[in-house]
Amino acid sequence: RPMRVTAAAEISDEFTYQWYIVTSSEEDDEAIPGATEATFTPTIAGEHYVIVTNHVNGTTAETEKVFDVRNN
């Protein structure tokens, strides 16, 4: 059964989401194509996080590495 993760933010058109996978260098973390909703189902092993942007006031919030998906 796939794991689903949801960013806890008020549901609103004001917010956009971009989920990332951590690479060997944080400056080169990769945005996951199509992972732009509050809820995300990871399909790639690795550490993931999300950046939430509020387009009304221009602020962004980045989570810590929220979960680590491992292949068994």
Side-chain angles (χ1 to χ4, degrees):
R1 174 181 244 188
M3 175 180 69
R4 292 180 54 147
V5 179
T6 301
E10 185 178 319
I11 302 299
S12 169
D13 290 337
E14 298 174 10
F15 298 101
T16 58
Y17 305 86
Q18 179 60 64
W19 290 87
Y20 290 82
I21 186 163
V22 177
T23 61
S24 58
S25 168
E26 277 197 34
E27 289 94 37
D28 296 329
D29 289 354
E30 293 181 30
I32 300 169
T36 56
E37 300 293 329
T39 300
F40 169 64
T41 302
T43 58
I44 303 169
E47 292 181 290
H48 298 72
Y49 63 96
V50 65
I51 294 179
V52 181
T53 302
N54 179 328
H55 289 284
V56 171
N57 64 19
T59 59
T60 61
E62 179 178 332
T63 64
E64 294 294 320
K65 307 314 183 243
V66 292
F67 56 94
D68 187 4
V69 177
R70 297 175 189 260
N71 289 332
N72 288 334

